[in-house]
Amino acid sequence: QVQLVESGGGLVQAGGSLRLSCAASGRTLTSYAMGWFRQAPGLERSFVAAISWAGENTDYTDSVKGRFTISRDNAKNTVHLQMNSLKPEDTALYYCAAKNVLFGGIWYTRVRDYDFWGQGTQVTVSS
């Protein structure tokens, strides 16, 4: 069992930056692919970014490419999402997710692929 706790959300003006963190406990994150998802009011939870367990592969939804960066520190059991050039449409509740994997280099983009979820951290971008 992996417990995930997100932090770093807040209110920021358009064009600003935030760095989200996801701290894991219960298990080491080694052998877990990780992802960030977001959910705005009235919408379904959607993929934002993913990273393979060793960090060698990353993937992003098109709308955040070039602005967001996912990274991980397995020694510290943490995953980060650096968000730059934020836009009002980035406003959402952001979730961290973990997926146990048997092979390295794999990442996942679908909600149903992930085994464990955090409670989310709110990001609000004002115009």
Side-chain angles (χ1 to χ4, degrees), residues 68-121:
F68 290 12
T69 303
I70 188 171
S71 62
R72 65 189 297 162
D73 185 341
N74 287 343
K76 296 183 178 179
N77 253 17
T78 56
V79 179
H80 302 286
L81 184 68
Q82 178 66 43
M83 306 187 296
N84 299 328
S85 302
L86 282 161
K87 304 175 181 180
E89 51 263 43
D90 294 318
T91 295
L93 189 60
Y94 281 70
Y95 296 91
C96 174
K99 165 69 176 177
N100 186 238
V101 296
L102 296 178
F103 305 101
I106 300 173
W107 70 95
Y108 298 87
T109 62
R110 299 180 303 182
V111 171
R112 64 176 181 266
D113 288 327
Y114 284 85
D115 303 315
F116 304 102
W117 293 84
Q119 294 300 305
T121 184

Side-chain angles (χ1 to χ4, degrees), residues 38 46-48 60-68 85 87 89-90:
R38 63 188 179 186
S46 64
F47 170 71
V48 177
Y60 301 89
T61 191
D62 286 345
S63 63
V64 309
K65 286 180 180 177
R67 301 188 298 123
F68 290 12
S85 302
K87 304 175 181 180
E89 51 263 43
D90 294 318

